[in-house]
Amino acid sequence: MTSGDAAQGVAPSDAELLRAHVDGDKDAFGELVRRHRDRLWAVALRTIGDREEAADAVQDALLSAHRNAARFRGDSAVTTWLHRIVVNACLDRIRKRQAHPTVPLPDGSRSDDRPSGVEPAAPAADHDTALLVRQALADLPADQRAAIVLVDVQGYPVAEAAEILDVAVGTIKSRCARGRARMALALGELRGRDTDHAPAGNHGTSETVSSGPAAVKPPPGGHDRRDQR
């Protein structure tokens, strides 16, 4: 940030903060993290499906970004670069546990060292649906899950999700389409099992499951991603 900007109270851009960090400013990277940590945490939690592993993935990713900031070429937004590092850290962890197919789901517990405000408790009426959606999302292949999280849960444009995952736009569209279809089938099966065990006369789980983006929206109160341009 220039002295003129400081005098006028103009906040530095993400790119300016990253350059200041590279130039030796001890506070710049911390400010960058404060701006985007909650979004990065939300993406990690939805992608990896486990609070402890998500926290570790974010920590690993931010350490990597801190150490390798000088390599940032500026050919994408700083937030895109940060999200790419976080998603890659999550996918690395998922690959390492492929021998353990059961994916732990967020349990709603909260710790003081975790970012706050990104996973508020859903109303009681929506709690069961939220758990079913999380289970269906956690059961997707990692590449489909990452695409669904970025596009349908966090609200990234397809083109930016493609940048983050370093794949073609068409690949993101294909992964989202396949992931939505798998989730629709999984949600139908899970709700069908709930109906089988429901008391007679309970028809609350008989609705049709959409295969579009609405089928994977986060629980009410979740954060959609709308970055400043």
Side-chain angles (χ1 to χ4, degrees):
M1 175 166 50
T2 65
S3 58
D5 286 341
Q8 298 176 26
V10 178
S13 68
D14 290 344
E16 288 169 338
L17 284 173
L18 196 62
R19 284 197 297 271
H21 163 65
V22 172
D23 291 341
D25 188 323
K26 296 181 179 179
D27 299 320
F29 193 80
E31 174 59 27
L32 188 62
V33 170
R34 280 189 290 275
R35 286 184 183 181
H36 302 294
R37 184 175 175 85
D38 278 357
R39 294 192 191 98
L40 298 173
W41 164 250
V43 168
L45 181 58
R46 302 297 187 195
T47 300
I48 207 167
D50 176 84
R51 296 183 68 84
E52 293 300 323
E53 289 215 53
D56 289 343
V58 171
Q59 182 177 10
D60 290 347
L62 291 178
L63 284 172
S64 177
H66 185 276
R67 294 167 179 165
N68 297 295
R71 299 182 184 179
F72 177 69
R73 299 187 300 272
D75 53 359
S76 64
V78 172
T79 51
T80 300
W81 176 70
L82 288 173
H83 279 75
R84 181 184 301 137
I85 296 172
V86 168
V87 171
N88 284 338
C90 291
L91 294 178
D92 285 345
R93 286 180 173 271
I94 291 171
R95 293 185 191 106
K96 289 177 181 178
R97 68 181 191 190
Q98 285 301 308
H100 305 283
T102 299
V103 181
L105 296 175
D107 58 8
S109 63
R110 194 173 296 281
S111 174
D112 291 341
D113 63 350
R114 302 290 185 263
S116 59
V118 298
E119 196 191 16
D126 297 320
H127 182 67
D128 290 345
T129 297
L131 290 177
L132 292 176
V133 171
R134 288 178 184 174
Q135 181 65 64
L137 184 62
D139 288 342
L140 290 178
D143 58 347
Q144 293 176 20
R145 190 191 317 172
I148 289 284
V149 166
L150 290 173
V151 175
D152 289 343
V153 179
Q154 297 303 120
Y156 283 81
V158 170
E160 192 164 356
E163 278 193 79
I164 291 172
L165 295 177
D166 197 22
V167 297
V169 167
T171 300
I172 293 293
K173 292 180 178 178
S174 176
R175 289 178 181 177
C176 284
R178 295 200 306 272
R180 290 167 190 156
R182 290 177 68 123
M183 286 190 70
L185 289 173
L187 286 169
E189 292 173 359
L190 290 168
R191 284 174 169 165
R193 288 201 295 270
D194 285 350
T195 301
D196 291 340
H197 295 289
N202 184 347
H203 303 293
T205 58
S206 60
E207 69 271 20
T208 300
V209 180
S210 168
S211 62
V216 290
K217 66 183 179 180
H223 280 220
D224 281 347
R225 189 274 190 189
R226 296 291 183 270
D227 274 342
Q228 54 188 334
R229 305 294 179 194

